[in-house]
Amino acid sequence: MEFADTVELATTKDDLWSTISDPETLTECVPGAESIVRTSEQKYELDITRGVAQMSLSLTGEAEFVEMSPPDYIVTTGNAFDTKTGSDFEILAAMEMEEIDDETVQLTYQAEVEYSGGVASVPKRVISPIVKRDVDTYFDNVHRVVEDDQ
């Protein structure tokens, strides 16, 4: 599954970068995140609980910033596994931040999500809107956090 969009945020690139790289803020913004812990400058461990169709997934995994140029862009890979259903998720995501003016940043993102295991028995037409909703919720949450900090 692939997702892409552009959002405008009332913030600076530096403040946005701080928001999207802070584990406490990420835990607040990522739907279903129970914990996100930074293990190094570029690596995070995560625990996320999500409902997908009739399944409840308790995902444990990690994410890594594999390419970055703060505060201009970031490329992240991630993987998570649910032992109960044997479901595995992999993500490749990129975000680019561009200042429109002193108070507004345009964030453009692209994400590819692949999954296998028990969750693969759920039709893509069911999974895709759920993942899209979570992606939209993440950016809505980031939007709220950066604008509340202004």
Side-chain angles (χ1 to χ4, degrees):
M1 293 179 289
E2 295 183 12
F3 303 93
D5 202 356
T6 299
V7 294
E8 288 188 9
L9 304 163
T11 190
T12 66
K13 286 197 310 187
D14 289 329
D15 287 345
L16 180 57
W17 183 268
S18 293
T19 298
I20 64 173
S21 62
D22 175 62
E24 185 176 312
T25 306
L26 284 171
T27 302
E28 181 182 334
C29 291
V30 172
E34 294 181 20
S35 72
I36 298 177
V37 177
R38 181 180 293 167
T39 58
S40 73
E41 182 182 347
Q42 294 178 251
K43 289 187 178 184
Y44 298 79
E45 291 181 353
L46 50 94
D47 291 305
I48 297 173
T49 300
R50 298 302 301 143
V52 176
Q54 302 296 332
M55 294 181 215
S56 177
L57 304 174
S58 293
L59 301 164
T60 301
E62 63 183 21
E64 180 178 5
F65 297 167
V66 293
E67 187 178 335
M68 61 183 185
S69 178
D72 298 316
Y73 71 88
I74 187 168
V75 178
T76 306
T77 61
N79 62 70
F81 186 73
D82 174 65
T83 56
K84 184 177 166 186
T85 62
S87 298
D88 190 33
F89 289 81
E90 292 189 25
I91 186 167
L92 173 62
M95 289 187 262
E96 184 175 355
M97 285 70 78
E98 181 180 343
E99 287 185 342
I100 296 174
D101 57 40
D102 290 343
E103 299 174 356
T104 309
V105 174
Q106 179 176 289
L107 184 149
T108 301
Y109 70 87
Q110 297 177 331
E112 295 176 21
V113 178
E114 294 183 11
Y115 57 93
S116 61
V119 77
S121 66
V122 178
K124 185 177 179 180
R125 64 178 169 69
V126 173
I127 295 273
S128 186
I130 294 169
V131 174
K132 173 68 170 130
R133 183 183 65 230
D134 280 357
V135 169
D136 290 344
T137 298
Y138 168 75
F139 285 104
D140 288 345
N141 291 342
V142 168
H143 190 266
R144 180 185 44 78
V145 167
V146 298
E147 292 196 352
D148 284 352
D149 288 345
Q150 297 300 313

